[in-house]
Amino acid sequence: MKSTPGKAVDLKAVTAPNRAAAAEYYPAQYWYSMVKLPAANLFPGTGPNGNGMSQLMTDRGVWFRT
């Protein structure tokens, strides 16, 4: 839609038809803000025979950066 400065435009918002389409509409920061960190008591990871989290995950910061 083209317009000129100062002209009112009537924009209509629509819901994305699916998640893939929504991913194209919203910036990465939007999706990144929805990440849920694992609970602090799950760190450090104890592996598949423990809490299921990799032993390389020593704290939430490592998990988040990975």
Side-chain angles (χ1 to χ4, degrees):
M1 168 184 265
K2 290 189 175 202
S3 186
T4 58
K7 182 179 177 187
V9 292
D10 186 20
L11 301 176
K12 302 277 189 252
V14 296
T15 303
N18 54 51
R19 289 182 180 190
E24 293 181 20
Y25 301 149
Y26 297 105
Q29 293 90 338
Y30 172 80
W31 300 107
Y32 196 58
S33 72
M34 296 172 59
V35 170
K36 302 284 190 250
L37 289 171
N41 67 345
L42 293 177
F43 296 94
T46 55
N49 294 326
N51 64 8
M53 189 173 301
S54 169
Q55 294 170 320
L56 299 174
M57 299 295 148
T58 56
D59 60 44
R60 290 173 100 181
V62 171
W63 183 91
F64 199 68
R65 287 187 299 275
T66 302

